[in-house]
Amino acid sequence: MKPTASATVINEVFRRAYERGERPALVDLRGGHVHGYRRLVTEVTRAASGLVRAGARRGQVVGVHVSTAGAQTLAVHTVLAAGGVAAPLDPELDTGRLAARLRECGARALITTPDLAATAARAAEAARVRQLVSFGAAPGALDFRALLTLEPTALPPVHARHQTALLLAGGAPPARRLSHAELLATMAELDRPVRLRESDVVLITRRPGGDADLVALIGLILWRGALVVASGGLELPDTRRDFGVTVAEAPGGGLERVG
């Protein structure tokens, strides 16, 4: 199944999330969280509304500097649902390099996790980023959960072909941009070797970085209605057996079926 030319990432990935109910969507082993489909889409849309209520504008770049796959998934899709542009950032960056990436992106907000919040706060100040949001309490940051409590407001329309979904900084200048249509096409290409089914359990081992790889992999799995088990690089020998993994990352990239 390929996306239509007018489809946005949010519409495709979460199109059937409510009808899937609380069937598990994402198990984040490093972060210690489990999200069902309905809870995930509800948090994304409420947080996106909160971002808009807090002043976010369509096309605004928001840096995503987090340490777990679950946090990256929530942050990126919240930004996209709010009509913004998500800029994934390597959690290993030090303050100076993170500030440089934020300036390169033209980021006006930054989403982080408490373990990275001190570095994120220093970099945000150096790059003159206006707003810092954290998945949990952190000095000088708005708690992500507070976005869920703000009065709901309408989300802006997004043009799938013309609006950027991801901005990837830190490579050869200028920063690379992926539209919603291009990101969905990348996801569809990743699906070709495996043809994911709702019954699949997919093990993802990589950690968040400054590229589109993890975003595309998890977006595809949610799009197809399967279950993501994100280990975040943790060496857990019984994970495949315990979760009944049917698909995993291939050594050369992408996905492959496992016996």
Side-chain angles (χ1 to χ4, degrees):
M1 181 174 62
K2 292 184 178 180
T4 65
S6 61
T8 66
V9 172
I10 292 299
N11 290 342
E12 290 297 290
V13 169
F14 294 114
R15 179 174 48 180
R16 296 182 56 199
Y18 283 107
E19 69 181 75
R20 289 171 179 149
E22 286 309 322
R23 185 158 60 83
L26 173 62
V27 177
D28 181 359
L29 297 179
R30 183 172 287 276
H33 301 292
V34 178
H35 280 80
Y37 271 93
R38 185 170 295 171
R39 176 189 166 195
L40 186 60
V41 70
T42 298
E43 288 196 6
V44 163
T45 52
R46 285 182 178 174
S49 173
L51 275 183
V52 174
R53 179 66 66 183
R57 296 292 180 263
R58 186 170 65 175
Q60 176 177 298
V61 177
V62 180
V64 177
H65 179 245
V66 296
S67 57
T68 69
Q72 188 186 70
T73 301
L74 272 171
V76 166
H77 289 285
T78 293
V79 173
L80 299 186
V85 178
L89 298 161
D90 189 339
E92 300 298 323
L93 292 173
D94 60 24
T95 300
R97 290 188 297 161
L98 178 58
R101 296 287 191 275
L102 291 169
R103 286 191 290 266
E104 182 182 351
C105 294
R108 291 294 175 266
L110 178 62
I111 301 177
T112 191
T113 42
D115 55 320
L116 302 175
T119 298
R122 292 192 297 268
E125 183 177 5
R128 297 185 179 179
V129 170
R130 297 173 182 172
Q131 187 173 53
L132 181 65
V133 178
S134 175
F135 285 99
L142 174 68
D143 194 319
F144 184 87
R145 291 170 296 189
L147 296 174
L148 307 178
T149 67
L150 298 180
E151 183 180 354
T153 190
L155 299 178
V158 174
H159 194 290
R161 285 196 178 278
H162 300 309
Q163 182 162 332
T164 301
L166 298 183
L167 192 155
L168 309 176
R176 181 185 174 207
R177 293 177 176 269
L178 285 177
S179 69
H180 282 253
E182 288 170 329
L183 180 54
L184 284 169
T186 298
M187 290 158 51
E189 186 65 23
L190 286 168
D191 194 34
R192 287 182 60 191
V194 288
R195 302 297 183 189
L196 289 178
R197 302 182 288 265
E198 289 194 356
S199 58
D200 279 319
V201 178
V202 187
L203 178 63
I204 300 297
T205 56
R206 70 182 62 206
R207 300 184 67 182
D211 53 36
D213 295 351
L214 186 60
V215 174
L217 283 169
I218 293 183
L220 164 64
I221 299 162
L222 298 176
W223 185 12
R224 297 301 189 241
L227 169 62
V228 184
V229 178
S231 74
L234 293 175
E235 296 294 332
L236 300 173
D238 295 329
T239 298
R240 295 194 180 205
R241 183 195 65 195
D242 292 346
F243 286 95
V245 170
T246 59
V247 176
E249 291 183 73
L255 298 172
E256 64 179 3
R257 291 204 167 270
V258 297

